Amino acid sequence: MKKKVLIMPALMAFMTMILSGCQPLMVFDTKGPNAKTLSNTIILSIIVMAFILLVVYVLFVFMLSKYRASKQPSGYEPPHEEGSTKLEVTWTVIPIIIVTVLSIVTIFTTSKVEHQQTGYENKKPLVIYASSSDWKWHFSYPEQGIETVNYVNIPTDRPIEFRLYSFGPITSFWIPQLAGQKYAMSDMVTKIHLAADQEGSYMGRNSNFNGKEFAQMEFETQAMSQADFDKWAKEVKANEPKLTEAKFKKLLKTSVVGRESFSSTHLSFSPAPEMDMSKHSGESNKKDSHNMDNMDGMEGMDMSK
Amino acid sequence: MSKVNKSLPLEYSTEENDLKIFGFWVFLGAEIILFATLFSVYFTLVDRTGSGPIGKELFELPPVLVETFALLTSSFLIGLGVHAMRLGRTKAMMVFYILTLLLGAVFLGVEINEFLTYIHDGATIQTSAFLSSLMTLLGTHGAHVTFGLLWGSSILIQVKKRGLNAKTANKAFIFSLYWHFLDVVWIFIFSFVYLKGVL
Amino acid sequence: MSMDELFAPMKEPMILGAAISIVVGAVAIVAGLTYFKKWGWLYKNWLTTVDHKKIGVMYILVALVMLFRGGIDALLMRAQTAVPENGLLNAEHYNEIFTTHGLIMIIFMAMPFIIGLMNVVVPLQIGARDVAFPRLNALSFWLFAVGAGLLNISFIIGGSPNAGWSAYFPLASTEFSPGVGNNYYAWSLQISGLGTLMTGINFITTIMKMRAPGMKLMKMPMFTWSALITNVIITFAFPVLTVALAMMTLDRQFGTKFFAMQDGGMDMLWANLFWVWGHPEVYIVILPAFGIFSEVISTFSRKNLFGYKSMVMSMVVISLLSFMVWVHHFYTMGHGVMVNGIFSITTMLIAVPTGVKIFNWLLTMRHGKITFTTPMLWALAFVPIFTIGGVTGVMLAMASADYQYHNTLFLVAHFHYVLIPGTVFGVLAGYHFWWPKIFGFRLNEKLGKSAFWFIVVGFNVAFFPLFILGLDGYARRMYTYSADTGYGPLSMVSFIGALAMAVGFALICYNIYYSFRHSPRETTGDPWDARSLEWATQSPVPEYNFAIVPKINQLDEFWYAKKEGRDITAGKYERIHMPNNSGAPLWMSGVMFLFSLFFVFSEWTLVIVFAIATLGFMAYRSFENDEGHYIEVAEIEATERRLRGEK
């Protein structure tokens, strides 16, 4: 009867497979190198963790089935055991080795997704500013001189550099099938490097709670061929109205809006809070230099990129 | 609970007293973390002055030197007070304690005056993140001193009424620990806020 | 604030219903006490008590009430998200509910349950008469209780906090969260946090200074060890929260610029301060649970704990590491690879000592003689389920992968998989284990076991799907989702699991009533044939704990003495000095409650009045002469005879 506890996770996994249909989960259904790296990292870690779980479960079942009172002779008195240095060292050292391997993987993959994506190093990235306000996303294309709200179109096969910031509470910019998320904050610009390998429509959203209509902060990411993208940008530039300061102020104040397009960006009159990222911490205007010394004297961490 | 141990000084003489002194040391440990956090916040925000003044424009050393002198001397005097207490000289002890509290009051007066000057110059706690953290740090220390003045006075009244016994000696001793602690915090404030600010 | 705004929340039918039921319940309690003439008894025996056992029981009682409240919050959330586009709750109401759910479950359920068990057990395990500062202990409890009260009236008067339990700025600033909700947040946490800090100081002193003769540090029971380490973490972590909350109050009510979006403020400073406290906080609620599991597994395997030294070491290492991992709560803030890498490593390292503990528990059972009592079932279920929480924790610790997990239900599933099998199963194991010690009868095993299966199965059904949903891009804290996301079926499964858990907790409450009526009273003081010192005295425990304080020669002294047929509590009785009861902690906390309440509403005159009243209480305490009282030998003899069941 105690084995029920163990059967449960397996049962759950089976049930979820059935229930979730046979579509791959979004995080594993990747459409670009950044998300692919992360997906591989996650799958690797799941395999390692499954192995650890297996070891614990086998031991657990073994102890429970062999040493239950009902299996023992009635007069049995358990012996006194202090412990065993050999065993304790074993299960200290093996986890340390596993942690070391995972740490190397972590640092390697983190570095990989934080830089220009592999296979795209020699192409000039398309810079798109993504800024959030309550409760919508603004996308500014300085190169094309256009701006959209709640949807973003990107060309495939060209690296994209999203520069994120916020007009209010902290938000988190996330397109699961293309890249991991990153915070958008009001006084600094953070960056996501990604690229889309395939054309298609991908869900993007804010994943960091920012108040009442947080659930509505979804946007569509359309990846299209370079030709289609250029055509679309030209059309917007030609047909859509200009984004004036007054109009933008009004837009910021509106809580939920649909999709909008403009033939100029707000960056000219309301520039992004950018700073020279090559400087080191301690600069007065830098956000990412939290010199929080905690009680262990870990001071002055360098948070520059 | 109250086994009396004659070989120890009065303030440690009962089990209860021993517990109280130990507990107070642990409390001071928590206080150290409290001030360490305030210092970290200050160091984090010290350059974030917005449109307000920077430390260099604000700090004046003479009043700060008076404050430092007052507090350091009071710390020395309370040490003498505890020494007198251990010799059983109630009167001398009370004199030293009264002088300590008076110097504490001098310190507080100068600090309040300093704050009023800042506010008069348009540097309020709402002006910038730097000033918010500065005034919170100084204010927390100042509030501790204020509380110390009230507490110290109440202990003096008790010593006067009940004389020196295990209980009152224990209270007076714990108060001296508290006072020394505030002094140490002030030394840090003096070095890392004022001196670093004006240099 | 106008009356209309004050009672604005009442416009919601659900909140109005809750408010009415609270009022009706309160009236019923008052009427009952008056009718049965129990006011005097209540005041004299409970409200003014300084007895650590009674304080512990009150802590646990409040924790159970809060479990109920937080559980209703949880059920409402699962019900709202069980189907797409559900209209059960609107966005604002949902936001308030997940905020209070987090706050209540961590601060007002897990913490008091843990601290309550510590209060009951630790002095007994070390052979002390009480904690070092009994009256401070009562003040700790009452401050915690009024903090809980403050948060719980917020949803009726003025509005709940609604910026998430971590209340990140700028969202929690007055600009984006107007109203008093987050003022309530700051003050309820501040007040109960003060109480917790005092508990920390109190217990460190107790454990360091008041152990029975011969009990060296390495002869202490594991639960006492975990309590000591936990209280050290409390003492070092809580001042950080105190400062952070003070800054929050200043920012919200006095216009300072700590976390402002202009004038040099830094919003992420709050996140840093919050998690510098917040991460140690989760170890504060898990380590004592580890201590309880050690006691329970060792007792019901009838074997000493395997690897005692490495168990202590691993807890010390965990407590040190707990202060060095806080950045992993915001890897996505745009730190460099270096910073994220360092914090990934420190975070993953915590898995090493935790793994050591898991294997030590497994090896404790080897060669044992395992009996499946209710407390043991909770401890056994903990191992496999908590391990899932642990390994997903390692997955989350990998900064790169966390870019995909952060803020999703995967993360929510992870921390429920550690907090519930860890903390909740831990306190439930301890609750069933030590219940007979306090009340002199056992909780019914049959009911206990059925509650166990409901909760364990329900828990997995409720939370395992969230891992899957998280990996499918479901962000946390969303009050609704559209049908074409495909999250519907699994969310419904999760809701069914939550219902099963609710049934289990209801059974636990029913079990109290049932056992009180029907369980046989036990007079041995050692119903489980257990190992540590608390079982050496009578059940229920007399006011003075031990008539004779035993001498300790080894770990599990009581167990070996039993085996050798020695009675370690034999000896000649002497009169015992005990502290007096006092109403001061209760009234002082009441005054501080009013102080905070008026502070929340910025009623400065009244704030000053009650601040002065608080100082007045301190002065009263300073001048008071309270020598305590003695229990004479004749009375001790009579009590001991009565508890042994002799007339």
Side-chain angles (χ1 to χ4, degrees):
Chain A
M1 120 159 170
K2 298 299 155 300
K3 289 189 189 146
K4 269 194 236 174
V5 183
L6 302 183
I7 296 165
M8 295 263 302
L11 197 73
M12 308 293 313
F14 179 69
M15 205 171 65
T16 43
M17 298 258 292
I18 302 259
L19 279 165
S20 57
C22 291
Q23 279 174 313
L25 299 172
M26 203 176 272
V27 164
F28 300 126
D29 186 16
T30 59
K31 307 291 181 194
N34 182 323
K36 185 85 193 133
T37 307
L38 299 182
S39 166
N40 291 342
T41 312
I42 292 170
I43 287 166
L44 171 79
S45 71
I46 288 178
I47 291 165
V48 175
M49 296 308 147
F51 165 74
I52 293 171
L53 276 180
L54 184 76
V55 172
V56 172
Y57 283 18
V58 166
L59 269 174
F60 183 72
V61 173
F62 172 75
M63 298 298 171
L64 284 196
S65 50
K66 195 156 180 299
Y67 298 110
R68 50 210 308 182
S70 52
K71 283 262 171 71
Q72 314 283 24
S74 59
Y76 175 70
E77 265 307 316
H80 176 94
E81 287 177 347
E82 266 317 310
S84 142
T85 317
K86 205 165 78 187
L87 284 173
E88 286 165 52
V89 168
T90 310
W91 59 60
T92 311
V93 170
I94 292 175
I96 287 179
I97 294 168
I98 295 172
V99 165
T100 311
V101 171
L102 291 178
S103 301
I104 293 164
V105 170
T106 303
I107 290 172
F108 180 73
T109 53
T110 309
S111 166
K112 205 164 153 183
V113 297
E114 290 287 11
H115 294 94
Q116 193 109 294
Q117 295 304 298
T118 33
Y120 294 84
E121 294 93 335
N122 42 18
K123 295 182 183 162
K124 190 170 155 291
L126 168 67
V127 174
I128 305 173
Y129 284 85
S131 48
S132 66
S133 64
D134 287 355
W135 286 272
K136 56 209 158 297
W137 286 99
H138 311 261
F139 297 96
S140 321
Y141 297 77
E143 197 178 310
Q144 284 73 14
I146 56 173
E147 173 148 6
T148 62
V149 176
N150 285 342
Y151 78 102
V152 58
N153 289 353
I154 53 172
T156 51
D157 293 333
R158 182 177 171 185
I160 314 287
E161 184 182 302
F162 278 108
R163 296 190 183 171
L164 319 167
Y165 63 100
S166 163
F167 286 100
I170 300 166
T171 53
S172 192
F173 180 89
W174 192 33
I175 310 170
Q177 288 170 279
L178 294 180
Q181 63 198 286
K182 190 70 58 86
Y183 281 172
M185 287 161 287
S186 61
D187 54 356
M188 66 183 281
V189 168
T190 46
K191 289 179 189 171
I192 294 182
H193 296 274
L194 60 83
D197 290 337
Q198 307 172 28
E199 295 175 23
S201 157
Y202 311 121
M203 188 276 291
R205 64 165 305 110
N206 162 27
S207 67
N208 195 57
F209 178 68
N210 66 333
K212 189 171 164 233
E213 296 298 342
F214 156 70
Q216 313 296 337
M217 277 188 79
E218 229 179 84
F219 58 88
E220 187 191 8
T221 315
Q222 282 264 16
M224 46 183 73
S225 68
Q226 186 70 49
D228 286 349
F229 176 80
D230 291 339
K231 191 160 142 264
W232 166 79
K234 267 202 197 68
E235 274 172 15
V236 170
K237 190 79 193 162
N239 306 333
E240 298 295 346
K242 281 228 177 317
L243 180 60
T244 60
E245 195 162 354
K247 207 184 280 178
F248 185 64
K249 276 214 170 89
K250 201 165 148 243
L251 187 61
L252 285 182
K253 283 207 173 67
T254 334
S255 78
V256 179
V257 296
R259 298 184 176 201
E260 299 192 14
S261 315
F262 302 99
S263 56
S264 70
T265 73
H266 69 256
L267 297 171
S268 52
F269 51 80
S270 171
E274 285 185 275
M275 45 201 118
D276 185 0
M277 283 297 188
S278 65
K279 284 185 189 164
H280 281 260
S281 59
E283 290 298 321
S284 59
N285 61 343
K286 278 202 54 162
K287 160 54 73 86
D288 56 350
S289 57
H290 298 290
N291 283 342
M292 290 287 316
D293 57 323
N294 70 335
M295 299 64 212
D296 307 278
M298 303 185 42
E299 284 187 82
M301 301 169 315
D302 181 2
M303 303 231 178
S304 59
K305 291 191 185 45
Chain B
M1 270 315 258
S2 24
K3 294 190 193 73
V4 178
N5 186 337
K6 290 273 191 262
S7 65
L8 291 168
L10 203 51
E11 64 268 17
Y12 281 102
S13 61
T14 67
E15 214 173 317
E16 201 177 340
N17 282 1
D18 189 33
L19 287 178
K20 280 184 173 156
I21 290 169
F22 183 90
F24 198 79
W25 275 109
V26 180
F27 168 75
L28 286 183
E31 285 272 51
I32 288 170
I33 303 295
L34 184 110
F35 278 104
T37 311
L38 286 167
F39 272 109
S40 319
V41 169
Y42 176 77
F43 293 142
T44 309
L45 300 176
V46 68
D47 296 328
R48 302 175 70 108
T49 48
S51 52
I54 60 170
K56 226 185 177 116
E57 301 162 353
L58 210 59
F59 299 144
E60 291 168 10
L61 271 187
V64 177
L65 285 169
V66 173
E67 288 171 34
T68 310
F69 174 78
L71 214 52
L72 284 172
T73 313
S74 75
S75 202
F76 175 68
L77 288 172
I78 204 167
L80 293 177
V82 170
H83 188 69
M85 184 173 83
R86 289 206 171 147
L87 298 173
R89 292 165 63 179
T90 315
K91 205 163 220 115
M93 171 227 164
M94 287 187 60
V95 169
F96 282 127
Y97 268 66
I98 288 167
L99 286 174
T100 300
L101 295 180
L102 284 175
L103 281 171
V106 168
F107 166 87
L108 208 61
V110 178
E111 187 164 52
I112 289 169
N113 188 36
E114 183 194 342
F115 264 60
L116 291 175
T117 314
Y118 292 164
I119 291 163
H120 181 78
D121 296 348
T124 68
I125 197 164
Q126 292 146 352
T127 306
S128 68
F130 155 67
L131 283 167
S132 298
S133 61
L134 172 77
M135 290 189 175
T136 306
L137 174 60
L138 296 179
T140 309
H141 179 263
H144 274 76
V145 173
T146 315
F147 183 78
L149 294 182
L150 293 171
W151 183 19
S153 313
S154 86
I155 288 170
L156 273 178
I157 295 167
Q158 287 174 49
V159 173
K160 177 110 186 82
K161 268 188 171 162
R162 300 169 191 169
L164 270 183
N165 56 33
K167 270 205 152 108
T168 50
N170 181 253
K171 286 176 183 180
F173 178 75
I174 286 176
F175 177 70
S176 78
L177 291 180
Y178 178 79
W179 200 258
H180 288 309
F181 169 76
L182 292 185
D183 200 41
V184 172
V185 171
W186 180 257
I187 290 168
F188 274 87
I189 292 178
F190 178 70
S191 324
F192 292 107
V193 175
Y194 291 109
L195 285 184
K196 210 167 158 246
V198 294
L199 293 179
Chain C
M1 193 159 198
S2 70
M3 284 310 266
D4 191 44
E5 278 172 327
L6 203 60
F7 294 105
M10 298 286 209
K11 292 193 179 80
E12 288 254 350
M14 220 179 277
I15 290 179
L16 187 64
I20 290 169
S21 61
I22 288 172
V23 171
V24 170
V27 168
I29 290 168
V30 169
L33 284 169
T34 313
Y35 180 79
F36 292 109
K37 301 202 170 44
K38 284 285 188 196
W39 279 109
W41 164 84
L42 184 74
Y43 188 77
K44 241 175 49 202
N45 283 320
W46 288 94
L47 301 184
T48 59
T49 188
V50 294
D51 179 349
H52 69 96
K53 299 175 288 295
K54 285 180 175 167
I55 289 172
V57 169
M58 289 195 290
Y59 261 119
I60 292 170
L61 187 70
V62 176
L64 284 171
V65 172
M66 289 296 122
L67 177 71
F68 187 69
R69 155 89 214 260
I72 288 177
D73 284 349
L75 276 177
L76 282 171
M77 279 191 283
R78 293 311 335 157
Q80 162 66 21
T81 52
V83 286
E85 316 273 4
N86 197 352
L88 176 71
L89 305 173
N90 61 27
E92 279 154 329
H93 198 172
Y94 187 84
N95 298 344
E96 288 182 357
I97 281 181
F98 73 66
T99 303
T100 52
H101 168 78
L103 278 176
I104 282 176
M105 285 304 202
I106 293 275
I107 309 276
F108 300 116
M109 189 283 285
M111 294 276 289
F113 217 136
I114 292 276
I115 290 174
L117 286 169
M118 272 190 222
N119 259 299
V120 169
V121 178
V122 166
L124 292 172
Q125 280 198 333
I126 61 175
R129 299 244 178 267
D130 204 320
V131 293
F133 313 111
R135 195 175 302 189
L136 188 71
N137 201 20
L139 184 63
S140 282
F141 168 73
W142 286 110
L143 282 179
F144 153 75
V146 300
L150 196 64
L151 186 69
N152 277 282
I153 60 164
S154 68
F155 83 107
I156 300 169
I157 306 171
S160 282
N162 59 358
W165 90 278
S166 45
Y168 273 24
F169 276 79
L171 178 59
S173 65
T174 35
E175 185 183 348
F176 297 103
S177 295
V180 293
N182 277 290
N183 301 357
Y184 269 118
Y185 171 100
W187 279 104
S188 63
L189 256 69
Q190 191 69 286
I191 285 215
S192 57
L194 279 175
T196 310
L197 181 59
M198 291 174 196
T199 300
I201 293 165
N202 212 336
F203 274 79
I204 291 175
T205 312
T206 307
I207 298 171
M208 292 309 288
K209 286 279 193 181
M210 297 175 74
R211 298 192 301 277
M215 188 183 276
K216 299 238 168 26
L217 277 178
M218 291 312 272
K219 289 175 189 169
M220 291 196 310
M222 198 46 69
F223 180 64
T224 302
W225 253 117
S226 71
L228 176 61
I229 292 167
T230 302
N231 283 296
V232 171
I233 303 180
I234 286 177
T235 309
F236 282 80
F238 265 80
V240 181
L241 180 72
T242 305
V243 171
L245 291 170
M247 287 158 68
M248 182 188 219
T249 297
L250 287 168
D251 256 24
R252 282 187 60 86
Q253 296 184 264
F254 296 95
T256 56
K257 298 290 188 283
F258 290 110
F259 314 120
M261 284 165 64
Q262 62 288 322
D263 297 325
M266 189 193 270
D267 48 14
M268 283 311 283
L269 179 61
W270 165 267
N272 274 281
L273 287 173
F274 182 86
W275 289 115
V276 167
W277 161 80
H279 204 86
E281 163 69 19
V282 299
Y283 291 95
I284 290 167
V285 297
I286 200 78
L287 285 178
F290 285 173
I292 294 167
F293 291 130
S294 301
E295 304 284 353
V296 169
I297 288 175
S298 155
T299 298
F300 296 108
S301 307
R302 300 181 65 79
K303 221 166 133 280
N304 63 316
L305 193 65
F306 187 91
Y308 179 91
K309 282 198 189 77
S310 61
M311 285 302 234
V312 173
M313 266 304 295
S314 60
M315 276 199 288
V316 172
V317 171
I318 290 174
S319 69
L320 289 175
L321 283 172
S322 76
F323 284 96
M324 297 190 241
V325 298
W326 81 95
V327 170
H328 72 216
H329 294 271
F330 39 89
Y331 282 143
T332 54
M333 201 195 99
H335 305 120
V337 175
M338 214 32 226
V339 171
N340 275 354
I342 288 167
F343 280 94
S344 292
I345 294 167
T346 53
T347 306
M348 280 192 238
L349 276 177
I350 289 187
V352 177
T354 314
V356 168
K357 297 186 84 67
I358 295 272
F359 286 112
N360 276 343
W361 284 314
L362 287 172
L363 268 278
T364 301
M365 293 191 263
R366 189 182 63 164
H367 303 149
K369 195 173 179 181
I370 303 169
T371 42
F372 296 103
T373 56
T374 310
M376 186 60 167
L377 281 184
W378 286 114
L380 288 176
F382 148 81
V383 174
I385 306 177
F386 178 85
T387 310
I388 296 178
V391 296
T392 48
V394 178
M395 289 164 69
L396 279 152
M398 302 171 73
S400 53
D402 183 63
Y403 294 169
Q404 291 287 34
Y405 307 134
H406 186 64
N407 274 333
T408 68
L409 289 192
F410 187 92
L411 165 73
V412 174
H414 154 72
F415 68 67
H416 284 90
Y417 258 84
V418 281
L419 281 169
I420 293 180
T423 304
V424 178
F425 289 12
V427 294
L428 286 174
Y431 159 91
H432 286 92
F433 185 54
W434 283 304
W435 179 278
K437 187 81 244 165
I438 297 301
F439 296 104
F441 60 91
R442 275 196 244 197
L443 288 167
N444 182 280
E445 284 285 299
K446 210 170 158 160
L447 275 170
K449 284 178 187 175
S450 40
F452 165 83
W453 285 113
F454 267 108
I455 292 174
V456 167
V457 176
F459 167 78
N460 283 288
V461 175
F463 289 99
F464 201 84
L466 304 194
F467 283 124
I468 313 291
L469 287 171
L471 291 174
D472 207 11
Y474 190 157
R476 70 194 285 207
R477 296 176 168 177
M478 279 165 55
Y479 77 98
T480 190
Y481 52 91
S482 65
D484 51 21
T485 51
Y487 302 150
L490 280 178
S491 302
M492 183 48 98
V493 170
S494 174
F495 174 55
I496 292 163
L499 287 176
M501 284 177 84
V503 172
F505 283 113
L507 281 174
I508 283 179
C509 291
Y510 173 69
N511 197 356
I512 297 176
Y513 165 79
Y514 180 88
S515 306
F516 177 72
R517 291 288 305 269
H518 303 291
S519 274
R521 308 296 116 161
E522 65 94 23
T523 49
T524 59
D526 183 20
W528 308 111
D529 195 9
R531 313 177 71 84
S532 46
L533 203 51
E534 73 269 32
W535 305 103
T537 182
Q538 315 282 6
S539 303
V541 185
E543 184 195 1
Y544 47 78
N545 293 353
F546 293 89
I548 304 283
V549 177
K551 220 181 130 358
I552 304 297
N553 307 310
Q554 59 196 323
L555 178 68
D556 294 347
E557 170 76 20
F558 173 62
W559 170 262
Y560 295 105
K562 257 196 303 192
K563 291 281 155 288
E564 297 158 16
R566 284 188 288 124
D567 181 6
I568 55 172
T569 54
K572 195 170 160 306
Y573 296 157
E574 285 173 13
R575 65 181 200 157
I576 295 171
H577 179 267
M578 293 303 285
N580 288 333
N581 281 3
S582 161
L586 170 69
W587 296 111
M588 182 170 166
S589 303
V591 164
M592 286 177 82
F593 172 80
L594 292 169
F595 164 82
S596 319
L597 184 64
F598 292 123
F599 210 118
V600 164
F601 288 100
S602 310
E603 299 288 349
W604 303 123
T605 334
L606 289 161
V607 166
I608 290 164
V609 167
F610 286 108
I612 290 168
T614 308
L615 285 172
F617 268 108
M618 289 183 184
Y620 161 79
R621 175 69 178 128
S622 180
F623 280 93
E624 187 191 20
N625 244 335
D626 179 7
E627 294 296 346
H629 62 276
Y630 281 95
I631 301 176
E632 298 302 335
V633 174
E635 197 185 331
I636 299 172
E637 280 171 348
T639 310
E640 292 288 309
R641 269 204 305 278
R642 181 171 54 79
L643 290 170
R644 277 198 298 269
E646 301 162 16
K647 280 288 163 289

